[in-house]
């Protein structure tokens, strides 16, 4: 991850999954687009919704709610796909709605509380309190199933 | 990338071209089709490599190229006859040169014994014709010829006494030269410039230039493209004569050039009173005796010599003239060399087509975009149809024209990536020579259709299977000379490789006139290895095809070539991974022919669009044999929940695609669906049961791996007219999973990568 600016200030995109708020670093976000029906992939984990056509690129869609163990998202008109770059790959994250763009400094970030489930802790880098809300910072690196890189 | 690395990359690219030209030229000489131009082209190829290599201090390369060049010079000046033996030595020398270039680029090491051996052979060719090959350093105006090689200590010692040349001795001090330079019109025609050459001369030291204008005719008689000026440059420089000569090395054929030393007493009294002559002599002796060619002065025993290092270094025979160029000017020099090299290559070829080098990424991007264009055009057409516009309406007619244009654009863009198979074929002569050497057989290679074009990605992946099949043809097909004679054939076997276009695919035939496939032996091995039951009844063709089975290897003795556990099954699989097929035809005693047929591109694919469950899938057309509507009597239950279908008396598995891919829990109704008969990579047939067929179309292949990863049963993805992603079925895996052969096939997939 690129740490921008010396003060440790960073911009984050906040979004909602169910009643909870999460965010990702804006640097990794390529674009945000409306939900489109995905073509399911056979033999894939349940949180991989399938693939969509992003202007000619085949883009896998990860249902972030399912990935975090909250159960599958039922897409609505407000559902969006946040396209993020993870390493050299593009991945679409299906979330319920984008809520905000935040500018925060690193010192706001608190370590993930101990009681969080193992699954959630694998993807949550930390939590922060912003204007009375609690927002968890998602580490996008691990959202895709681990593929053999050898292929 | 920094400038130097870029120049270096360019140098290696050009090396590859020069090497190709070199080999092509030598082969032409071998077949007796050579004229003086060919010999010159060969010479220039080696010369250019040497020149460039010198600029990068690639001493091994320079050294070898120099020996090679010297021998070629003999050939060029008709002092050496181009007999078959001579050309063979040169062909092998070209192989070594190619190895050295590769090593210089990628690191690693070369077979030093082989290199040394060829150096000896090359020298022997020169030595046989000429008593003292090194007697005249820099005496010929053919090119910079140097004191004898010091690469091998023996030679160095032998030659030291005779090759101490006064002109070399003097290089340490400042010496004066009179350079008379009269360009001919050809020099300018090749885009060289006298002013630049003169400037380069002056950059070596200081001097005075006088221009001789006496040859200029009256204006009425003046040929605007002629050359009428001559220059005399009085140059005082510390650089040796080779350095001066080097400036002119790419124009020396196109001008009258004489470089004379003007003896100047003051230069003799140089350097601390130590006689430079003696110091240089000592350095040379030390360098020669130690065979320390690269650093002649580095471990010289005497302090004086070390002090005099510049002098000694210049005096000791350096393999490359360019190596002596002052470092800051190397880049410039390399660029100049590259330029004039190009000019020469252009002059040598008869009518070279104008070409540009384009970064492959840009082409790929263009292809992607055109793929998008095609998809959107189809989408637009569908929308127009849906909107209920008549086919004759202006919009629909306009769209038809758009479709036409789009197709033309697609074809043209694909043509950018298309390349002649020549780039693969030209590696074959060397391969054949090497394999023939190792196996002790005599083999002649005939290639046909080397200008047949095919997509670059196909070319890249064609090389390995082709190499393997040719090895196989020589190793297993062609007999030893004595056997051939006994069979009434000539001693020399023939391997023929031919490429051609046939019905939208490229077909490559590899045939030999060897013994053909020994069917009894093949059958016995297959039975011994448990690949077929002992009582299996097989047709000749089926027997021949046994060699493609995994775990089959015909030679009892594991030879150097075939003992790597890589069999024809891998060849077959890698060809199939490209969407191709391979077949074999063999006649005992007369030889075998392998035929492989490949798609022209990996960017698009002809597919059958089918529906399974609620989804649309694409089945590659190459795998499909036929489609049929199952009848109740033909479908039988088998085992727990498997089904078989009977097609003209043969039972084959009926694979429920929707279930296989997890689209549906309950089995598809066989009677309402369509069965698609496919042939898997191992030749096994099965029927894929789908809900319906939507049509047949060319689709653009999109990688799933780029952003996701490999999905079992899915070869790739494509984007349909409605903008949605459809998956392209990996027929082999889908068909095989039903036969519980996943392990075999998943390992097979890795091998095909």
């Amino acid at each position: 991850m690129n740490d921008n600016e010396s003060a440790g200030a960073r911009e984050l995109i906040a979004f909602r999954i169910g009643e909870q708020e999460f965010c990702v670093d804006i640097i990794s976000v390529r674009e945000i687009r409306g939900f489109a029906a995905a073509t399911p992939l056979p033999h894939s984990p349940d949180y991989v919704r399938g693939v969509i056509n992003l202007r000619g690129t085949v883009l896998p869609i990860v249902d972030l709610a399912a990935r975090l163990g909250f159960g599958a998202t039922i897409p609505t008109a407000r559902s969006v796909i946040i396209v993020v770059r993870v390493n050299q790959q593009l991945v679409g994250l299906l979330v319920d709605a984008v809520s905000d763009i935040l500018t925060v400094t690193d010192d706001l970030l608190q370590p993930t509380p101990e009681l969080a489930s193992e699954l959630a802790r694998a993807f949550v880098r930390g939590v922060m309190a912003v204007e009375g809300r609690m927002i968890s910072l998602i580490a996008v690196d691990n959202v895709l199933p681990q593929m053999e890189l050898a292929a | 990338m920094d400038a130097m690395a870029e120049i270096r990359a360019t140098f290696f690219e050009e090396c590859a071209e020069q090497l190709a030209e070199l080999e092509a030229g030598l082969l032409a000489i071998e077949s007796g089709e050579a004229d003086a131009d060919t010999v010159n082209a060969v010479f220039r190829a080696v010369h250019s490599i040497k020149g460039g290599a010198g600029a990068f201090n690639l001493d091994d390369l320079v050294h070898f190229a120099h020996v090679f060049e010297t021998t070629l010079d003999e050939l060029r000046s008709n002092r050496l006859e181009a007999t078959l033996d001579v050309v063979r030595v040169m062909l092998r020398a070209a192989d070594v040169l190619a190895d050295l270039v590769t090593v210089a680029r990628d690191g690693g090491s070369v077979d030093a014994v082989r290199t040394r051996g060829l150096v000896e052979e090359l020298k022997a060719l020169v030595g046989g014709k000429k008593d003292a090959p090194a007697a005249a350093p820099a005496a010929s105006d053919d090119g910079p010829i140097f004191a004898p090689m010091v690469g091998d200590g023996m030679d160095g010692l032998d030659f030291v006494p005779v090759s101490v040349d006064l002109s070399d001795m003097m290089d340490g001090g400042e010496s004066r030269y009179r350079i008379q330079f009269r360009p001919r019109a050809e020099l300018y025609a090749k885009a060289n410039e006298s002013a630049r050459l003169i400037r380069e001369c002056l950059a070596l030291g200081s001097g005075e230039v006088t221009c001789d204008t006496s040859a200029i005719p009256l204006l009425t008689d003046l040929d605007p493209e002629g050359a009428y000026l001559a220059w005399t440059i009085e140059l005082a420089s510390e650089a040796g004569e080779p350095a001066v000569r080097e400036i002119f090395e790419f124009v020396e054929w196109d001008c009258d050039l004489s470089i004379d030393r003007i003896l100047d007493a003051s230069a003799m009294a140089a350097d601390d009173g130590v006689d430079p002559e003696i110091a240089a002599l000592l350095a040379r002796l030390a360098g020669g005796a130690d065979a320390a060619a690269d650093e002649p002065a580095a471990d010289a025993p005497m302090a004086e010599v070390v002090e005099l290092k510049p002098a000694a270094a210049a005096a000791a025979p350096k393999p490359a003239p360019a190596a002596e160029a002052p470092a800051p000017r190397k880049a410039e020099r390399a660029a100049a060399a590259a330029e004039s090299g190009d000019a020469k290559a252009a002059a040598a070829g008869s009518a070279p087509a104008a070409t540009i080098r384009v970064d492959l990424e840009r082409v790929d991007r263009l292809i992607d975009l055109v793929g998008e264009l095609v998809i959107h055009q189809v989408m637009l057409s569908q929308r127009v149809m849906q909107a209920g516009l008549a086919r004759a309406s202006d919009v629909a007619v306009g769209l038809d024209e758009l479709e036409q244009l789009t197709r033309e654009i697609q074809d043209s863009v694909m043509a950018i990536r298309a390349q002649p198979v020549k780039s693969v074929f030209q590696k074959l002569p060397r391969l054949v020579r090497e394999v023939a050497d190792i196996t002790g057989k005599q083999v002649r290679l005939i290639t046909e259709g080397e200008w047949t074009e095919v997509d670059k990605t196909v070319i890249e992946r064609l090389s390995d299977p082709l190499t393997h099949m040719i090895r196989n043809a020589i190793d297993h097909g062609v007999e030893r000379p004595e056997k051939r004679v006994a069979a009434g054939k000539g001693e020399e076997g023939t391997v023929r490789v031919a490429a051609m276009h046939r019905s939208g695919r490229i077909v490559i035939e590899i045939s030999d006139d060897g013994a053909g496939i020994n069917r009894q032996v093949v059958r016995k091995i297959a039975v011994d290895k448990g690949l077929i039951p002992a009582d299996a009844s097989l047709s000749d063709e089926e027997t021949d095809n046994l060699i493609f089975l995994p775990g089959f290897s015909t030679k009892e003795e594991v030879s150097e070539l075939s003992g790597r556990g890589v069999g024809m099954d891998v060849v077959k699989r890698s060809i199939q991974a490209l969407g191709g097929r391979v077949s074999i035809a063999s006649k005992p005693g007369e030889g075998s022919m392998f035929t492989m047929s490949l798609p022209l591109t990996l960017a698009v694919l002809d597919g059958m669009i089918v529906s399974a469950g609620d989804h649309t899938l694409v089945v590659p057309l190459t795998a499909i044999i036929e489609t049929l509507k199952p009848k109740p009597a033909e479908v039988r239950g088998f085992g727990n929940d498997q089904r078989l279908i009977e097609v003209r008396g043969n039972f084959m598995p009926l694979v429920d695609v929707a279930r296989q891919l997890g689209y549906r829990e309950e089995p598809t109704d066989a009677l309402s669906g369509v069965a698609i008969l496919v042939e898997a990579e191992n030749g096994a047939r099965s029927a894929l049961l789908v809900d319906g067929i939507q049509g047949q179309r060319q689709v653009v292949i999109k990688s799933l791996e780029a952003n996701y990863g490999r999905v079992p049963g899915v070869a790739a993805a494509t984007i349909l007219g409605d903008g949605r992603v459809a998956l392209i079925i990996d027929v082999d895996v889908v068909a095989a999973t039903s036969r519980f052969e996943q392990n075999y096939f998943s390992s097979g997939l890795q091998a095909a990568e």
Side-chain angles (χ1 to χ4, degrees):
Chain A
M1 283 298 109
N2 313 3
D3 286 324
N4 55 345
E5 289 156 47
S6 49
R10 51 165 104 196
E11 282 193 292
L12 305 168
I13 290 202
F15 50 85
R16 281 209 338 271
I17 299 173
E19 294 305 308
Q20 301 188 25
E21 263 192 296
F22 295 86
C23 59
V24 289
D25 199 317
I26 207 165
I27 288 169
S28 59
V29 176
R30 295 292 117 166
E31 66 179 274
I32 296 172
R33 47 165 297 152
F35 178 72
T39 304
L41 294 172
H43 313 297
S44 60
D46 57 356
Y47 55 84
V48 176
R49 265 199 113 83
V51 287
I52 63 164
N53 167 21
L54 181 75
R55 290 183 305 283
T57 305
V58 176
L59 181 79
I61 304 297
V62 169
D63 182 343
L64 208 51
R67 187 58 164 147
L68 294 172
F70 301 162
T73 305
I74 297 150
T76 67
R78 295 193 63 198
S79 296
V80 290
I81 289 167
I82 302 177
V83 182
V84 295
R85 180 171 285 279
V86 181
N87 302 324
Q88 290 307 305
Q89 297 186 315
L90 287 180
V91 184
L93 304 177
L94 173 62
V95 301
D96 284 339
V98 168
S99 52
D100 211 348
I101 295 178
L102 310 166
T103 307
V104 298
T105 48
D106 277 347
D107 52 329
L108 266 164
L109 191 67
Q110 305 164 19
T112 317
E114 287 291 332
L115 49 85
S117 76
E118 273 304 310
L119 194 61
R121 288 183 66 186
F123 306 108
V124 175
R125 185 165 289 164
V127 297
M128 56 186 82
V130 180
E131 297 158 13
R133 299 177 289 171
M134 188 201 79
I135 302 177
S136 312
L137 179 65
I138 298 273
V140 290
D141 311 49
N142 303 322
V143 293
L144 269 190
Q146 292 305 305
M147 293 286 167
E148 321 112 80
L149 292 170
Chain B
M1 209 189 323
D2 71 285
M4 199 59 191
E6 227 170 88
I7 294 168
R8 203 178 147 91
T10 310
F11 164 64
F12 284 118
E13 264 174 49
E14 280 168 0
C15 270
E17 283 164 23
Q18 307 280 12
L19 286 169
E21 193 170 324
L22 168 64
E23 177 149 10
L26 287 174
L27 289 173
I29 297 172
E30 186 184 25
S31 56
E33 297 158 9
D35 51 15
D37 279 350
T38 320
V39 180
N40 279 331
V42 165
F43 178 80
R44 275 194 302 262
V46 178
H47 188 70
S48 303
I49 291 174
K50 186 182 97 170
F56 292 103
N57 284 335
L58 304 170
D59 291 339
D60 288 349
L61 186 54
V62 170
H63 178 217
F64 186 80
H66 179 74
V67 178
F68 195 5
E69 181 190 14
T70 311
T71 313
L72 281 170
D73 190 41
E74 297 291 302
L75 195 66
R76 190 169 65 134
S77 48
N78 291 325
R79 278 175 299 212
L80 179 68
E81 202 191 333
T83 60
L84 219 51
D85 286 341
V86 169
V87 177
R88 293 227 165 114
V89 170
M90 288 189 172
L91 277 167
R92 280 189 289 127
D95 295 347
V96 169
L97 192 66
D99 286 346
L100 285 166
V101 168
T102 312
V103 166
R105 186 185 55 205
D106 305 332
S109 61
V110 283
D111 184 349
V113 177
R114 189 169 174 217
T115 310
R116 179 127 353 125
L118 267 165
V119 166
E120 294 303 324
E121 281 188 64
L122 286 171
K123 279 189 186 165
L125 290 177
V126 180
K129 301 284 162 192
K130 214 175 165 191
D131 294 326
S140 149
D141 54 6
D142 273 342
I145 294 181
F146 294 94
M149 300 306 102
V150 288
D152 27 15
M154 299 308 286
D155 274 10
L157 273 180
D158 279 353
F159 287 133
V160 164
V162 289
S163 63
V164 174
D165 185 278
L166 260 180
S167 64
D168 277 352
M169 291 293 141
M170 304 294 294
D171 290 345
E174 183 163 280
S175 25
R176 300 175 64 80
Y177 299 93
R178 179 177 293 121
I179 302 158
Q180 282 170 319
F181 171 51
R182 179 182 293 276
R184 287 193 289 266
E186 294 87 18
L187 183 138
Y188 298 113
K190 290 174 187 169
N192 292 299
E193 198 192 328
S194 324
R196 178 185 185 138
L197 295 164
I198 294 168
R199 267 203 306 274
E200 280 201 42
C201 276
L202 294 180
L204 291 178
S206 57
E208 205 171 283
V209 184
T210 45
C211 181
D212 175 10
T213 55
S214 59
I216 297 180
L218 288 174
L219 191 58
T220 44
D221 303 329
L222 185 111
D223 173 4
E225 294 186 350
Y228 301 103
L229 295 177
W231 287 271
T232 307
I233 307 162
E234 304 264 358
L235 179 69
S237 167
E238 290 187 6
E241 187 172 329
V244 180
R245 248 175 217 289
E246 189 205 345
I247 292 171
F248 295 96
E249 76 173 321
F250 285 103
V251 298
E252 61 195 338
W253 295 291
D254 300 318
C255 66
D256 299 318
L257 181 69
S258 71
I259 300 176
D260 300 310
R261 289 172 56 82
I262 309 166
L263 287 179
D264 187 340
S266 66
M268 299 291 282
D271 297 322
D272 310 319
V274 176
D275 191 344
E277 226 170 298
I278 292 172
L281 187 59
L282 282 169
R284 176 170 304 197
L285 279 167
D290 292 345
D294 298 340
E295 317 152 305
D299 51 3
M302 291 178 69
E304 293 94 317
V305 178
V306 177
E307 272 169 32
L308 273 174
K309 204 167 168 183
K318 268 266 185 168
E324 291 170 15
R329 291 182 50 241
K330 274 179 193 162
E332 182 193 325
R333 180 68 52 82
E339 263 173 42
S340 35
D342 269 356
K344 283 197 176 109
S350 45
T355 55
I356 54 166
R357 286 178 205 276
V358 181
D359 198 346
L360 199 57
E361 251 174 49
R362 293 192 194 180
V363 178
D364 287 346
R365 173 92 190 114
L366 187 60
I367 286 180
D368 275 355
L369 286 173
V370 171
E372 284 311 287
L373 188 65
V374 172
I375 289 162
H376 279 87
Q377 178 263 318
V378 172
M379 215 188 300
L380 203 54
S381 305
Q382 285 184 357
R383 299 270 155 87
V384 167
M385 296 299 282
Q386 281 163 9
L389 286 171
R391 274 219 76 81
S393 67
D394 286 351
V395 175
V397 169
L399 269 177
D400 278 352
E401 275 165 28
L402 180 66
E403 184 180 344
Q404 201 94 33
L405 273 175
T406 319
R407 275 188 200 288
E408 267 176 48
I409 293 175
Q410 193 176 21
D411 288 350
S412 316
V413 171
M414 288 302 177
I416 297 180
R417 284 183 61 113
Q419 285 192 323
V421 288
K422 189 173 192 291
S423 59
V424 177
F425 276 22
Q426 69 192 9
K427 294 182 197 146
L428 301 183
R430 170 175 188 178
L431 173 77
V432 169
R433 280 198 298 282
E434 287 182 351
V435 178
D437 266 4
I438 294 171
T439 53
K441 296 172 182 176
Q442 291 181 23
V443 184
R444 194 157 60 97
L445 175 76
I446 301 173
T447 53
E448 286 169 20
E450 57 185 16
W451 295 106
T452 313
E453 288 194 332
V454 64
D455 192 84
K456 190 176 161 52
T457 44
V458 178
I459 291 212
E460 282 162 1
R461 297 168 70 175
L462 194 62
S463 180
D464 283 353
L466 193 59
T467 305
H468 203 84
M469 281 158 94
I470 286 178
R471 275 207 186 112
N472 194 67
I474 300 172
D475 200 16
H476 301 300
V478 176
E479 314 94 322
R480 290 179 182 284
E482 59 274 13
K483 260 196 179 170
R484 289 186 64 89
V485 173
K489 303 183 198 175
E491 279 194 359
E492 195 178 52
T494 306
V495 173
R496 183 177 146 272
V497 183
M500 68 212 81
H501 280 148
R502 196 180 285 161
S503 60
R505 291 170 77 79
I506 181 171
V507 174
I508 297 179
E509 294 175 350
I510 298 110
S511 48
D512 63 71
D513 63 348
I517 289 181
N518 188 334
R519 300 206 170 100
Q520 280 86 34
V521 174
V522 165
R523 192 192 157 91
K524 183 174 170 296
I525 291 172
V527 172
D528 288 352
K529 299 205 170 174
L531 299 171
I532 52 166
D535 56 351
S537 79
L538 296 175
S539 67
D540 284 354
E541 201 191 332
E542 283 170 328
T543 312
D544 292 346
N545 275 299
L546 288 176
I547 64 165
F548 290 119
L549 285 181
F552 186 93
S553 171
T554 43
K555 271 228 157 161
E556 305 265 314
E557 50 189 289
V558 172
S559 71
E560 189 179 339
L561 299 162
S562 53
R564 264 168 288 151
V566 185
M568 290 303 282
D569 60 314
V570 175
V571 171
K572 182 165 187 176
R573 213 172 298 141
S574 57
I575 291 170
Q576 276 171 330
L578 288 171
R581 275 156 189 279
V582 59
S583 63
I584 178 172
S586 178
K587 276 190 187 167
E590 288 178 33
S592 320
M593 175 155 92
F594 290 88
T595 308
M596 52 180 173
S597 129
L598 294 162
L600 290 178
T601 171
L602 299 181
V604 294
L605 164 144
D606 281 311
M608 188 173 276
I609 319 285
V610 301
S611 21
D614 297 327
H615 300 287
T616 304
L617 295 167
V618 181
V619 184
L621 220 49
T622 47
I624 299 177
I625 299 164
E626 61 175 297
T627 59
L628 48 95
K629 285 290 275 185
K631 296 189 187 68
E634 290 168 354
V635 180
R636 312 281 166 84
F638 182 72
N640 188 14
D641 60 349
Q642 300 288 307
R643 280 182 288 181
L644 296 181
I645 184 167
E646 183 188 349
V647 180
R648 289 184 288 277
N650 292 319
F651 284 102
M652 54 188 77
L654 184 65
V655 182
D656 187 338
V657 174
R659 261 183 96 193
Q660 196 77 54
L661 299 182
Y663 294 158
R664 193 186 279 162
E665 286 297 320
E666 70 283 5
T668 309
D669 178 10
L671 302 184
S672 67
V674 180
I676 302 174
L677 243 63
V678 293
E679 190 180 60
E681 61 191 25
N682 55 359
R685 295 187 173 191
S686 30
L688 304 182
L689 179 64
V690 297
D691 292 344
I693 293 176
Q694 296 178 11
Q696 191 177 315
R697 184 175 324 146
Q698 200 172 61
V699 297
V700 179
I701 299 174
K702 297 280 179 184
S703 157
L704 265 183
E705 277 99 355
N707 286 325
Y708 185 70
R710 187 174 279 280
V711 179
V714 178
T718 187
I719 293 164
L720 293 178
D722 60 4
R724 291 198 57 175
V725 177
L727 303 178
I728 301 171
I729 288 183
D730 187 335
V731 169
D732 296 323
V733 175
V734 170
T737 340
S738 71
R739 285 198 298 275
F740 307 105
E741 289 178 354
Q742 295 172 36
N743 288 338
Y744 163 63
F745 277 103
S746 54
S747 62
L749 275 171
Q750 276 154 21
E753 269 305 287

